[in-house]
Amino acid sequence: MDSSKEKLLSPTDAWEHEDEHERFRRSFDARTSTSDLDSDLDATEFLQSDPLTSSKPSAFSTQPRNNRWLRKPPTFCGCFTGRSTRWIIGCLGVFAFVLLALSGGGFFAFNKYKQAPPDGLSPPWYPTPKGGTAQTWAEAYRKASEMVARMTLPEKVNVTTGTGWKMGPAVGNTGPAINVGFPALALQDGPLGIRFADNATAFPAGITVGATWNKELMYQWGNAHAIEARKKGINAILGPCIGPLGRMPAGGRNWEGFGADPYLQGVAASQSIKGIQEEGVMATIKHLVANEQEHFRQSWEWGLPNGLSANIDDRTMHELYLWPFGNAVKAGVASVMCSYNMINNSYACGNSKLLNGLLRDEMGFQGFVMSDWLAQRSGVASALAGLDMTMPGDGLFWEDGKSLWGPELTRSILNGSVPLERLNDMVTRIVAAWYQLGQDDESKFDRKGPNFSSWTDEPEGVFAPGSPSEQESVPVNQYINVMGDHASIARRIAAEGTVLLKNTGLLPLARNASTQSNQTTRRDGPLQIAIFGEDAGPGDGPNHCPDRGCNQGTLASGWGSGSVEFPYLVTPVEALTKAWEGNEDVKVTTYLTNSPPFQKGILLDAELCIVFANADSGEGYKAWESVKGDRPDLFLQKAGDDLIFEVAQGCNGGEGDVLVVIHTVGPVVMEKWIDLPNVKAVLLANLPGQESGNALADVIFGDVNPSGKLPWTIGKSLDDYGEGAKVMYMPNGVVPQQDFSEGLYVDYRHFDKNGIEPRFEFGFGLSYTSFMFAECVVAELKPKSALPAPRPNDFAVPPEYDPSIPDEEEVLFPEGFRKLEKYVYPYLDTVDDIVSEPYPYPEGYDYKQPLSGAGGDEGGNPDLWETYVTVSVNVTNTGDKAGQVVPQLYLSYPKDVSAAVDFPVKVLRGFDKFLLDKYETKTVTFNLTRRDLSYWDVKSQNWAMVTEGEYTFMVGQSSRDLPVSGTW
């Protein structure tokens, strides 16, 4: 068995026999726990969550509208508060299923997990390493320490605790520290744009950005988003997203990320973070970690009292799921958002090994950790485990005002259950991030907060609509247009993110039908073009469903908190018909439905048929038909496959040319129609945002030479992706257990390992020209060595503060203070009940953790980021059109060197993108770092390089088209 898998997914007696050092060094080893004190997890029973359903259902303009939809106050009680009848029935159904399974002794999967597992199989890692050790943050921490030293205890608590859902203009609002001049922070959802905002750009989704394979566009996407956020008064964007990674091709939120490969995700994350933060806005990388499916991600959202546990071995965690987070930390990301799910049976936002050991010690993270909205499942335990900010501030229930922190954190400091130095570090990290991004500059951040409301479109409203308390009406929406020229960036990303999957001489089409740029057979009279499919048209408008939570009209975004309000949406049919407008040589007929009247012979005269279909998904708090967040399968929705097949069969009696355009959140199975002889071209346009039609027309008519590449593999069936790629649609226990037993073998790695031929491989994408690769040259810059250089000493010493417990009187509500009901304050009504006694801290809390050799600075040991070898290749455009080429470098580890270590066939370790004129040649050089060349050694607990044998570097246009190679 691979040593990286031993003793990691199930409890074992071996844990009890390890020495103390090994016990605390082994990452993600499972263990037997019989005491609550052994756990990273505070047990919470029968919790409730309510979906983030507030949204703006119609398109925005610069004028207020009167049709604002607001959720009614709850009229039910208990776990059914605010739920629909469908949800209640579903919830009861799940309960019945669980009870039946357990009462019957368990059947199928319940046989394995018929009891809740021991809490916290992830080992403890305490105390939280303090921030302020990195040179790049030294000045920010110096300024922050001076401010924090002057804060009162309530001010410190205010900075770390959200004020509650709908308790401020943004989706996340912290309290200010007024006496020292620190403002309330406004946090707003991304990553497609500014959620709930008017007059802001609806950018292409992350998966479309990933499909560009263009580092410059990744940066510009983040930068344009940040410009708009800053002008709207936002301090932190809740993006980019690199979790989920894409383990499951039907995963509901894969579209928010950049693709199913850690290297691609990491580069895109780094570039977009730089783009965001160079504008002074905080980026929030999310979701840490392994939130790979929507089903059972969160307590009670699916009727179960606990979220799913993603059980991952040490090596897989490092090489796959944490890898892109390393890039994010190296880029200086201000914030990390921990996810809803458990990791090895410890909730992510209370997992000390994850937050303290991996993120802070190994990766050297200097910013702050915030919870996903209601992902905090404990009070004291989460503070000790490394959580710095709780969002939205409510506790275990939505909109109840009963925070796990807020006044409870104040109380915990006074009674000694949370050390004051932990709170000081929490606050300092947040304030340091504020200084690090230059948000103390009032010329850029006026400290007035957002100039829009997430909760109403009206010009006036109340400050905290989540509170039933009477409030005066104040201006809340200024309708500031922040879009600038960002439509051009959105259009370019959408065009470059469009992947040409098939083209047998059809594309590019001609605007003037008299030209011969297409191979469509002409008859006398105008060229007859027919456009089919609901996905080509406007439907009921892009904002018809709250949070884009339905599939209607052309698909330009998935649904959920990552969605935005479209200021407009250029549909494909609009852009295409406009291109042929006034041309008497072309006649266009449109059927914007997936059920056209074929019986009327509408296909017989069509010489060119363009058919549109799609597949949608989104966040788990919403469902559309059978798509409950995660897709139920990989087929096109609304009978899209049948539509394509029927159009192809009947177009001009089966002799007409067919162009298929797919908008999708992820891979779709195309086997029913992809090999039909008259399906001449297929374009996969991903999720293109507001400029959808314009970008598509750019590619179809050849104004843009397609250069998009697949950010995941398209298989011939869901089974092709392996068992680990299948969503768990039914729970296998009271605490659903999902073992990531496939390890490193996700997406193309699985296909390679098992010799499975995909329909279209990872990295694939055609062009209107052709390219040739030649002359691979490998140059060593540094010799191989087994382990990185010794961990360097910290550049700076973290700030130190007065350790004295503050005066109890300063935490009482000020005299005459008017409280808003359900608003989260840091104050207490009384301190008479405060009892300070020795607190039973978790196991290992007083143990001095040995520092990881993999750490030492932002992103980890600096030696990991040093270039050890370069690979250069000549690339020539051999066609007669200029076009952008995407050289991709894949690495194969030395073979047959160590039987104990299993390596994938190949892994992506480099890519670039540049324009080549016809017949032009350029040399591309890839710099491979020590990290790129290493694997995670579970024994040494460090990144190890193979020093014997030869590495192989393969370069080409996709993961299965690698014509040149070299060795080292």
Side-chain angles (χ1 to χ4, degrees):
M1 184 181 189
D2 182 352
S3 62
S4 68
K5 304 294 180 63
E6 293 178 3
K7 301 179 289 185
L8 291 171
L9 295 177
S10 59
T12 172
D13 294 337
W15 172 271
E16 306 298 337
H17 302 293
E18 292 179 350
D19 61 40
E20 190 173 40
H21 170 78
E22 189 65 22
R23 176 179 300 188
F24 288 94
R25 292 311 305 150
R26 188 180 301 277
S27 294
F28 285 83
D29 278 7
R31 60 188 175 90
T32 301
S33 173
T34 57
S35 167
D36 287 339
L37 300 182
D38 292 342
S39 174
D40 281 339
L41 176 69
D42 268 3
T44 52
E45 296 182 5
F46 299 94
L47 310 181
Q48 167 188 345
S49 85
D50 206 0
L52 317 182
T53 53
S54 297
S55 71
K56 301 186 176 183
S58 56
F60 278 83
S61 67
T62 58
Q63 297 299 319
R65 295 179 306 283
N66 297 318
N67 61 345
R68 174 65 186 166
W69 174 82
L70 289 174
R71 189 171 62 185
K72 297 286 195 299
T75 55
F76 297 97
C77 60
C79 71
F80 300 136
T81 301
R83 301 292 187 176
S84 66
T85 302
R86 182 185 62 80
W87 187 93
I88 295 171
I89 294 172
C91 180
L92 292 174
V94 172
F95 273 124
F97 178 84
V98 173
L99 291 173
L100 177 65
L102 295 179
S103 63
F107 63 96
F108 61 95
F110 274 99
N111 263 338
K112 184 177 182 181
Y113 300 117
K114 59 187 178 182
Q115 294 181 345
D119 285 340
L121 300 182
S122 181
W125 208 107
Y126 300 102
T128 302
K130 294 179 181 178
T133 58
Q135 182 176 2
T136 48
W137 286 68
E139 181 62 15
Y141 267 87
R142 183 191 66 78
K143 293 177 180 179
S145 65
E146 293 176 357
M147 178 177 282
V148 173
R150 295 183 285 115
M151 287 185 184
T152 63
L153 177 55
E155 286 181 316
K156 293 177 181 178
V157 171
N158 239 9
V159 172
T160 64
T161 305
T163 55
W165 183 242
K166 295 186 182 178
M167 298 298 182
V171 297
N173 308 273
T174 63
I178 296 175
N179 293 328
V180 298
F182 188 77
L185 299 181
L187 294 68
Q188 197 71 5
D189 279 311
L192 272 68
I194 309 171
R195 187 186 185 197
F196 295 149
D198 58 275
N199 297 300
T201 305
F203 290 100
I207 199 64
T208 312
V209 178
T212 70
W213 291 63
N214 188 324
K215 297 174 187 177
E216 176 193 356
L217 287 183
M218 293 166 180
Y219 173 90
Q220 290 185 9
W221 179 73
N223 188 249
H225 186 178
I227 290 171
E228 297 192 8
R230 181 180 62 78
K231 291 181 177 179
K232 284 290 188 180
I234 297 301
N235 299 94
I237 290 171
L238 304 178
C241 176
I242 53 175
L245 176 72
R247 174 183 186 243
M248 303 166 187
R253 297 183 76 179
N254 291 349
W255 58 271
E256 293 186 42
F258 303 106
D261 177 81
Y263 186 90
L264 177 61
Q265 287 260 33
V267 171
S270 176
Q271 291 297 109
S272 55
I273 287 167
K274 291 174 183 176
I276 291 169
Q277 297 196 164
E278 286 183 14
E279 185 58 28
V281 177
M282 300 180 198
T284 305
I285 199 71
K286 62 182 186 182
H287 306 85
L288 187 73
V289 63
N291 188 172
E292 294 295 315
Q293 69 169 56
E294 293 302 287
H295 282 73
F296 321 121
R297 64 171 186 161
Q298 186 179 8
S299 302
W300 284 115
E301 189 173 70
W302 297 86
L304 293 176
N306 292 286
L308 174 150
S309 177
N311 303 322
I312 309 177
D313 67 80
D314 186 17
R315 185 179 171 201
T316 299
M317 176 63 79
H318 281 81
E319 293 187 31
L320 276 190
Y321 299 98
L322 277 182
W323 180 283
F325 286 92
N327 293 81
V329 174
K330 180 65 175 175
V333 69
S335 178
V336 171
M337 182 189 292
C338 49
S339 55
Y340 286 117
N341 56 292
M342 297 186 192
I343 312 296
N344 295 345
N345 288 286
S346 176
Y347 279 104
C349 293
N351 190 312
S352 65
K353 177 63 181 179
L354 177 66
L355 303 183
N356 293 339
L358 301 183
L359 182 62
R360 289 187 171 93
D361 179 45
E362 283 187 21
M363 294 187 190
F365 176 57
Q366 300 295 300
F368 62 96
V369 176
M370 76 168 72
S371 71
D372 203 341
W373 270 228
L374 235 65
Q376 182 191 26
R377 311 313 295 171
S378 62
V380 171
S382 61
L384 300 180
L387 186 65
D388 301 308
M389 179 187 287
T390 179
M391 278 291 141
D394 301 293
L396 303 177
F397 301 83
W398 283 98
E399 297 184 67
D400 67 355
K402 298 177 182 178
S403 181
L404 294 170
W405 282 2
E408 297 304 318
L409 182 55
T410 300
R411 187 184 306 276
S412 297
I413 295 296
L414 296 180
N415 68 22
S417 54
V418 173
L420 180 59
E421 66 175 357
R422 174 77 266 267
L423 175 61
N424 286 337
D425 180 59
M426 292 155 58
V427 181
T428 304
R429 285 175 173 273
I430 297 168
V431 176
W434 183 74
Y435 276 118
Q436 180 77 348
L437 274 297
Q439 295 190 3
D440 56 322
D441 182 352
E442 294 189 50
S443 68
K444 290 187 174 182
F445 294 86
D446 60 17
R447 307 193 188 186
K448 296 178 182 178
N451 51 44
F452 71 99
S453 171
S454 297
W455 319 118
T456 180
D457 295 340
E458 302 300 324
E460 292 193 349
V462 297
F463 174 77
S467 173
S469 299
E470 184 178 350
Q471 302 169 59
E472 65 175 344
S473 181
V474 296
V476 293
N477 279 310
Q478 299 178 34
Y479 309 105
I480 296 174
N481 190 322
V482 297
M483 293 186 283
D485 65 347
H486 296 156
S488 61
I489 296 173
R491 182 170 179 169
R492 184 181 169 194
I493 293 170
E496 287 201 28
T498 297
V499 184
L500 179 61
L501 294 178
K502 181 179 180 180
N503 189 28
T504 55
L506 179 62
L507 297 180
L509 295 179
R511 286 184 171 85
N512 184 340
S514 64
T515 65
Q516 299 301 312
S517 63
N518 65 71
Q519 300 301 310
T520 303
T521 301
R522 294 297 313 282
R523 300 183 304 180
D524 293 336
L527 175 66
Q528 301 284 333
I529 300 176
I531 299 176
F532 296 91
E534 182 181 319
D535 184 66
D540 294 319
N543 301 321
H544 177 68
C545 294
D547 283 348
R548 316 296 74 79
C550 62
N551 186 354
Q552 60 85 36
T554 191
L555 184 66
S557 163
W559 73 68
S561 62
S563 65
V564 296
E565 305 294 326
F566 280 76
Y568 63 84
L569 174 56
V570 180
T571 65
V573 72
E574 176 187 352
L576 293 175
T577 54
K578 183 178 180 180
W580 284 305
E581 191 175 22
N583 188 340
E584 295 181 356
D585 292 328
V586 175
K587 181 181 178 181
V588 180
T589 307
T590 61
Y591 302 92
L592 304 182
T593 172
N594 282 22
S595 302
F598 292 129
Q599 70 277 9
K600 295 183 179 180
I602 60 176
L603 289 167
L604 293 178
D605 292 331
E607 299 166 90
L608 171 62
C609 296
I610 306 176
V611 57
F612 288 78
N614 65 34
D616 197 4
S617 71
E619 195 166 354
Y621 67 84
K622 279 187 172 292
W624 169 78
E625 295 190 355
S626 63
V627 187
K628 298 174 174 61
D630 306 304
R631 288 184 287 162
D633 52 51
L634 298 185
F635 298 111
L636 292 167
Q637 293 163 4
K638 294 191 167 185
D641 292 295
D642 293 338
L643 174 66
I644 296 169
F645 185 83
E646 288 192 64
V647 168
Q649 291 285 85
C651 185
N652 202 231
E655 298 298 320
D657 292 339
V658 177
L659 164 61
V660 176
V661 180
I662 303 296
H663 291 112
T664 180
V665 292
V668 291
V669 173
M670 304 176 176
E671 297 310 295
K672 183 170 184 176
W673 47 265
I674 189 65
D675 286 328
L676 294 177
N678 64 329
V679 174
K680 296 292 183 64
V682 178
L683 285 169
L684 187 121
N686 292 295
L687 299 173
Q690 68 185 37
E691 288 290 320
S692 173
N694 287 334
L696 182 65
D698 289 342
V699 173
I700 286 177
F701 295 113
D703 301 327
V704 172
N705 194 337
S707 60
K709 302 290 182 179
L710 287 178
W712 21 248
T713 299
I714 296 179
K716 296 179 181 179
S717 70
L718 177 58
D719 288 338
D720 283 354
Y721 294 85
E723 286 302 311
K726 296 179 180 179
V727 172
M728 180 193 295
Y729 296 108
M730 294 298 291
N732 60 6
V734 176
V735 181
Q737 300 291 303
Q738 192 164 68
D739 296 344
F740 287 40
S741 53
E742 75 283 349
L744 303 174
Y745 297 100
V746 170
D747 200 78
Y748 70 91
R749 301 173 184 220
H750 168 81
F751 281 77
D752 288 349
K753 179 182 176 65
N754 294 281
I756 299 171
E757 186 68 24
R759 170 54 66 178
F760 297 109
E761 71 268 22
F762 175 82
F764 176 82
L766 300 174
S767 170
Y768 294 153
T769 189
S770 56
F771 302 100
M772 182 180 70
F773 292 73
E775 300 180 41
C776 181
V777 177
V778 179
E780 177 181 282
L781 301 186
K782 290 189 174 185
K784 299 174 185 175
S785 57
L787 297 176
R791 174 174 174 152
N793 294 327
D794 292 338
F795 174 81
V797 176
E800 294 291 339
Y801 300 97
D802 182 354
S804 304
I805 300 295
D807 185 347
E808 292 182 349
E809 296 301 315
E810 76 175 35
V811 306
L812 296 174
F813 273 99
E815 186 175 349
F817 189 92
R818 180 178 178 272
K819 292 186 283 186
L820 294 178
E821 187 179 346
K822 296 186 179 181
Y823 194 94
V824 178
Y825 298 102
Y827 300 111
L828 300 176
D829 290 311
T830 180
V831 292
D832 293 342
D833 58 348
I834 301 293
V835 177
S836 181
E837 295 180 346
Y839 184 77
Y841 291 112
E843 175 191 340
Y845 192 82
D846 295 324
Y847 179 83
K848 184 175 177 58
Q849 297 286 348
L851 300 178
S852 171
D857 201 357
E858 278 191 293
N861 191 315
D863 193 24
L864 294 173
W865 300 93
E866 291 291 315
T867 299
Y868 271 65
V869 62
T870 63
V871 179
S872 299
V873 173
N874 290 338
V875 186
T876 301
N877 183 346
T878 56
D880 59 2
K881 292 183 174 68
Q884 293 192 93
V885 64
V886 182
Q888 303 167 36
L889 181 145
Y890 294 81
L891 172 156
S892 286
Y893 290 89
K895 296 177 174 60
D896 302 324
V897 173
S898 174
V901 182
D902 183 27
F903 292 111
V905 174
K906 57 181 172 291
V907 294
L908 179 69
R909 284 296 184 264
F911 66 88
D912 203 349
K913 188 171 191 176
F914 49 87
L915 179 68
L916 285 176
D917 288 332
K918 57 183 180 180
Y919 315 129
E920 182 183 10
T921 298
K922 286 184 179 179
T923 300
V924 58
T925 299
F926 301 96
N927 297 318
L928 283 95
T929 66
R930 181 182 189 95
R931 182 175 182 249
D932 295 330
L933 298 160
S934 298
Y935 70 97
W936 182 255
D937 182 8
V938 297
K939 294 182 178 179
S940 67
Q941 285 294 291
N942 209 334
W943 292 99
M945 187 183 292
V946 180
T947 56
E948 299 178 12
E950 289 186 328
Y951 286 82
T952 301
F953 307 111
M954 299 159 285
V955 181
Q957 298 189 78
S958 76
S959 62
R960 296 207 170 188
D961 178 13
L962 301 166
V964 297
S965 63
T967 59
W968 178 56

